[in-house]
Amino acid sequence: MGKIAFVFSGQGAQYSGMGQSLAACSPAAQAVFDLADRLRPGTSRQCFSGTAEELSVTKNTQPCLYCVDLAAARALEERGIRADFAAGFSLGEAAAATFAGLFPQEEGFRFVCTRAGAMQKAAEANPGAMAAVLKLPNETVESICREFTQVWPVNYNCPGQLVVAGEASQLEVFQARVQEEGGRAKALALSGGFHSPFMESAASELEAYLAGIELGEPRLPLYANFHAKPYTSGSAKELLVSQVNHPVRWQETVEALAAEGVDTFLECGPGKTLCGLIKKTVKTAQVFQVQDQETLEAALAALEA
């Protein structure tokens, strides 16, 4: 086996009950939820028994997902699995940053709560929507986006899949244009036009917040959504801010990790979206999801085989 990357799930993967069995089987995972409940009472309740509607609100979604992402990684470490690299998709980058030691434990959670509140406010001030475009080259999707004043490519997920964000009525027309070009567009159940210029105010708020925060150095290479390269000394605050209102370059990140010798990816957090994107990008990769006790044990058994 080559090198291992822990990759952290993003917004949209949440579900009621997430993290509960992880907390029950792993003291390290439970500690993540205990800390969150001290700083933001009710976080574990939202994860373990919150309604779908409650979990879809950005100010709730992001802290809850962060906890489950980080809890999964801590449970793996507790059982002896060591990551050589870390990366997170969108919200997952905050969990990856804490896991890698960029943030102290409490500060990482405070940051994600601030991020969540800032992005929700931006989404309410600039209502937007998102759609995944399938079966078209990125260049074609980018060209169609340029036909509109408020539609932008934002998540470069994998070959043949690019997510766009924009103003809702323009996105409807955009989707028709995608069909004309032979592609398919699918609306996503997200509450804002994330990673687009609609998030400018959120980026400004995070920049002001981070100005007063002392960050550490990552203990392992931590890849940034902004440019699909590792964080470097002095770049962390700029990358964390830019990530909010710029595209997620996930395909490039996975390709860069594979080029560094990563052949095993452990998706930490709810769902298996990243596993699917990784397999479409690097077909030879081994991928495992870790979101509960069952998947934790399955991943450990496979890695020890």
Side-chain angles (χ1 to χ4, degrees):
M1 187 172 68
K3 296 176 182 177
I4 294 175
F6 284 12
V7 293
F8 294 78
S9 307
Q11 201 161 335
Q14 66 273 6
Y15 60 87
S16 183
M18 62 181 182
Q20 188 165 15
S21 70
L22 273 177
C25 76
S26 164
Q30 180 65 58
V32 173
F33 292 102
D34 289 344
L35 183 148
D37 282 338
R38 288 198 302 272
L39 299 178
R40 181 181 179 271
T43 300
S44 61
R45 181 204 61 76
Q46 287 182 334
C47 292
F48 301 162
S49 60
T51 65
E53 182 179 12
E54 185 178 18
L55 286 169
S56 70
V57 178
T58 296
K59 69 178 182 180
N60 298 330
T61 314
Q62 293 192 13
C64 289
L65 274 173
Y66 167 96
C67 286
V68 183
D69 285 7
L70 191 57
R74 296 298 188 210
L76 282 165
E77 270 201 325
E78 184 180 50
R79 297 288 292 273
I81 305 302
R82 296 289 178 262
D84 298 298
F85 298 87
F89 189 100
S90 187
L91 171 279
E93 190 166 331
T98 302
F99 173 77
L102 192 68
F103 287 111
Q105 296 300 311
E106 291 192 4
E107 191 52 61
F109 188 71
R110 289 193 181 98
F111 169 76
V112 82
C113 291
T114 302
R115 183 184 189 273
M119 292 179 75
Q120 179 164 327
K121 283 187 286 184
E124 290 169 351
N126 299 287
M130 301 179 78
V133 180
L134 310 174
K135 301 182 178 180
L136 286 180
N138 289 345
E139 296 76 13
T140 302
V141 181
E142 291 166 344
S143 178
I144 299 172
C145 285
R146 288 193 290 270
E147 298 174 17
F148 298 84
T149 59
Q150 290 191 314
V151 178
W152 304 274
V154 295
N155 294 348
Y156 290 79
N157 287 349
C158 67
Q161 186 179 135
L162 174 54
V163 172
V164 303
E167 194 273 327
S169 63
Q170 289 196 17
L171 268 186
E172 290 181 12
V173 183
F174 170 86
Q175 290 174 333
R177 282 287 293 117
V178 166
Q179 289 182 324
E180 289 174 8
E181 295 293 334
R184 184 162 65 91
K186 177 184 178 183
L188 300 179
L190 293 168
S191 58
F194 301 127
H195 301 288
S196 78
F198 281 176
M199 293 290 116
E200 295 285 358
S201 62
S204 296
E205 186 171 336
L206 285 181
E207 183 176 23
Y209 177 81
L210 286 169
I213 303 301
E214 188 74 28
L215 298 180
E217 293 292 329
R219 61 187 172 96
L220 73 168
L222 169 65
Y223 277 67
N225 287 177
F226 178 69
H227 54 25
K229 298 175 184 177
Y231 279 64
T232 56
S233 181
S235 70
K237 292 182 180 181
E238 181 180 353
L239 290 172
L240 289 166
V241 170
S242 298
Q243 190 242 29
V244 170
N245 61 341
H246 288 79
V248 173
R249 300 194 174 277
W250 189 250
Q251 179 182 336
E252 289 178 55
T253 299
V254 173
E255 290 169 343
L257 288 166
E260 289 291 337
V262 173
D263 65 2
T264 302
F265 294 80
L266 290 162
E267 179 174 2
C268 300
K272 53 184 178 180
T273 298
L274 300 186
C275 288
L277 299 181
I278 291 165
K279 286 296 287 184
K280 290 175 182 176
T281 303
V282 180
K283 298 189 187 306
T284 57
Q286 288 192 98
V287 296
F288 302 96
Q289 62 171 139
V290 178
Q291 62 176 326
D292 53 24
Q293 183 176 11
E294 181 181 357
T295 53
L296 171 65
E297 297 297 341
L300 291 169
L303 291 170
E304 291 166 0

